C-alpha cells in the first residue's frame, strides 16, 4: 500500500459483479486515486468463500481504516448476503437507508431496486443503480438513461429518483446464440473487433425494422449461407440486430411513459457505449455519454448518505 493511497483514502468502493470485481480507493472529493481488479466475481466463488475473495481482491487495502462499500451481485441471493431490493420510485437516500453489512462487518453492501411493469411482472436492477446516482443529477427533471451490458437497462430517472426501468437480455442472448446455436457454426469470433463495422450498421437497420425477433435472428444464418455475410461479419451483424431490436422496443416503452425518447444518456464502458451510440444515431436518437466513473461516483454518494463517510 503506497503512502498516497493510505493518506488520501476516504472510501474503498467495490463494483462486484457476476464475473469480475473491481475495487477503487476514493479520496474525500470523490476522485479515484487507485484501482484494482480480480476475477473473483460472484459466479466464480466456491463454497461461499466470499471473505477469501474479498481478501484476494483488496490485498493490503483491506487494512485501510475507511469504509468498504460494494454494489452489484455481491448483494444478490447468490452473493455474500442477500440485501433486499428497494421499491421504485427510489432515490439515492432511500437506497442508502437500506445498505446492509456483512456478518463480520467487512463490507457494507448497497441494495438493488425493483419495479413492476404494466403486467405486474417484476423487474430488477442490482449494481446499475449506483451508475444512475453517479451520472444523473437531482435537479434534472426527466432523463432516459441506457445502461448497456449483459442485461441492458433503460431507466426513467426524475429528480434523481429511479421511477421505472425495463431490462433487455441483449448481451446474454448474443453470447448464447453464438455459443450454443447454429449461428455460431457460421461465425468467426476469433478476430472480433470492439469497434462496430459495416455489418453492424446493417444489423441495426434490420433490428429497427418490423418482424418477429426469431425470424430476424435466423437472417444471420441465411445471409452467411448466401455468401452475403463473411464469417467474421456474422457476430457484428447479430450484435447490431439485437441492439436495434432493443432500441425499437425500449423506445416504444418510453413513449408509453410519456418520455421524449429522442435523447438518451448512455452509461457504461467505452466500447459498449460507442456501439450503442452508433445504433441510437441510426434510430435518430441523440445519445450523450455519461461519465466513465459513474459507478464509483454513485457508490461514494450512497456511502455519504448512509453516513459511512463524511
Amino acid at each position: 500500500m503506497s503512502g498516497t493511497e493510505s493518506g488520501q483514502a476516504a472510501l474503498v468502493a467495490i463494483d462486484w459483479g457476476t464475473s469480475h470485481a473491481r475495487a477503487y480507493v476514493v479520496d474525500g472529493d470523490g476522485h479515484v486515486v487507485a484501482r484494482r481488479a480480480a476475477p473473483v466475481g460472484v459466479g466464480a466463488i466456491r463454497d461461499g468463500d466470499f471473505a477469501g475473495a474479498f481478501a484476494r481482491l483488496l490485498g493490503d487495502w483491506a487494512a485501510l481504516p475507511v469504509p468498504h462499500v460494494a454494489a452489484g451481485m455481491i448483494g444478490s441471493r447468490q452473493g455474500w448476503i442477500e440485501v433486499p431490493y428497494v421499491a421504485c420510485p427510489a432515490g439515492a437516500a432511500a437506497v442508502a437507508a437500506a445498505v446492509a453489512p456483512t456478518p463480520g462487518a467487512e463490507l457494507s453492501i448497497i441494495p438493488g431496486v425493483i419495479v413492476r411493469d404494466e403486467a405486474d411482472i417484476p423487474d430488477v436492477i442490482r449494481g446499475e443503480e449506483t451508475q444512475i446516482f453517479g451520472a444523473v443529477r437531482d435537479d434534472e427533471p426527466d432523463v432516459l438513461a441506457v445502461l448497456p451490458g449483459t442485461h441492458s437497462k433503460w431507466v426513467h430517472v426524475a429528480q434523481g429518483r429511479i421511477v421505472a426501468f425495463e431490462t433487455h437480455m441483449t448481451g446474454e442472448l448474443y453470447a448464447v446464440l453464438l455459443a450454443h446455436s447454429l449461428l455460431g457454426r457460421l461465425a468467426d469470433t476469433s478476430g472480433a473487433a470492439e469497434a462496430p463495422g459495416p455489418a453492424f450498421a446493417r444489423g441495426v437497420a434490420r433490428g429497427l425494422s418490423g418482424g418477429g425477433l426469431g425470424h430476424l435472428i435466423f437472417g444471420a444464418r441465411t445471409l452467411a449461407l448466401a455468401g452475403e455475410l463473411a464469417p467474421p461479419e456474422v457476430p457484428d451483424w447479430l450484435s447490431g440486430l439485437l441492439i436495434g431490436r432493443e432500441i425499437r422496443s425500449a423506445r416504444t416503452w418510453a413513449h408509453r411513459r410519456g418520455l421524449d425518447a429522442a435523447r438518451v444518456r448512455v452509461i457504461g464502458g467505452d466500447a459498449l457505449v460507442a456501439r450503442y451510440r452508433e445504433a441510437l444515431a441510426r434510430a435518430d436518437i441523440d445519445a450523450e455519454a455519461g461519465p466513465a466513473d459513474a459507478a464509483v461516483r454513485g457508490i461514494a454518494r450512497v456511502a455519504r448518505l448512509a453516513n459511512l463517510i463524511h
Side-chain angles (χ1 to χ4, degrees):
M1 182 192 315
S2 73
T4 299
E5 292 168 7
S6 178
Q8 293 183 319
L11 169 73
V12 174
I14 304 173
D15 181 4
W16 202 332
T18 301
S19 56
H20 290 85
R22 298 171 179 86
Y24 308 84
V25 173
V26 182
D27 67 16
D29 295 321
H31 300 132
V32 174
V33 298
R35 62 188 71 209
R36 290 176 179 173
V40 292
V42 169
I45 296 172
R46 298 291 176 262
D47 301 321
D49 186 20
F50 292 98
F54 176 75
R56 290 195 298 277
L57 172 63
L58 264 62
D60 54 358
W61 288 2
L64 285 170
V66 298
H68 298 75
V69 183
M73 293 302 289
I74 192 64
S76 70
R77 189 165 299 173
Q78 294 75 40
W80 198 334
I81 59 170
E82 183 176 6
V83 185
Y85 293 102
V86 175
C88 278
V95 168
V99 169
T102 54
E106 303 93 337
L107 187 63
S108 296
I109 301 179
I110 295 171
V113 177
I114 188 168
V115 73
R116 287 184 174 270
D117 66 13
E118 296 92 334
D120 201 34
I121 302 298
D123 200 344
V124 295
I125 277 177
R126 195 178 284 281
E128 294 91 350
E129 72 288 336
T130 58
Q131 292 178 278
I132 293 293
F133 299 145
V136 181
R137 301 187 312 274
D138 284 351
D139 60 355
E140 296 184 85
D142 282 295
V143 174
L144 181 57
V146 184
L147 295 91
T150 303
H151 299 154
S152 295
K153 311 288 183 178
W154 287 66
V155 187
H156 175 198
V157 190
Q159 277 80 41
R161 297 198 305 167
I162 299 172
V163 179
F165 56 88
E166 184 175 77
T167 300
H168 295 260
M169 292 180 61
T170 303
E172 184 167 358
L173 183 57
Y174 170 80
V176 167
L177 287 169
L178 285 180
H180 302 291
S181 80
L182 288 172
L183 302 185
R185 299 181 185 179
L186 295 174
D188 178 5
T189 60
S190 61
E194 289 188 344
F200 176 79
R202 291 172 58 194
V204 170
R206 183 63 169 156
L208 291 170
S209 68
L213 181 59
H215 170 65
L216 297 181
I217 288 171
F218 194 64
R221 177 171 173 79
T222 54
L223 286 169
L225 287 172
E228 296 174 39
L229 277 181
E233 294 179 312
V234 172
D236 227 16
W237 188 90
L238 181 62
S239 171
L241 169 75
L242 294 174
I243 293 173
R245 178 43 59 102
E246 174 190 323
I247 291 170
R248 177 186 169 103
S249 175
R251 182 167 52 186
T252 299
W253 172 81
H255 285 158
R256 288 202 309 270
R257 297 195 57 80
L259 295 172
D260 177 11
R263 182 176 180 82
V264 301
R265 187 169 305 166
V266 190
I267 308 166
D270 291 344
L272 266 179
V273 167
R275 191 166 283 261
Y276 268 70
R277 290 184 76 182
E278 176 172 332
L280 288 160
R282 294 184 178 278
D284 296 320
I285 297 174
D286 181 20
E288 62 172 331
D293 59 350
V296 180
R297 291 187 188 192
I299 292 171
R301 183 179 174 193
V302 171
R304 287 193 185 91
L305 290 168
N307 295 315
L308 296 173
I309 58 175
H310 303 283

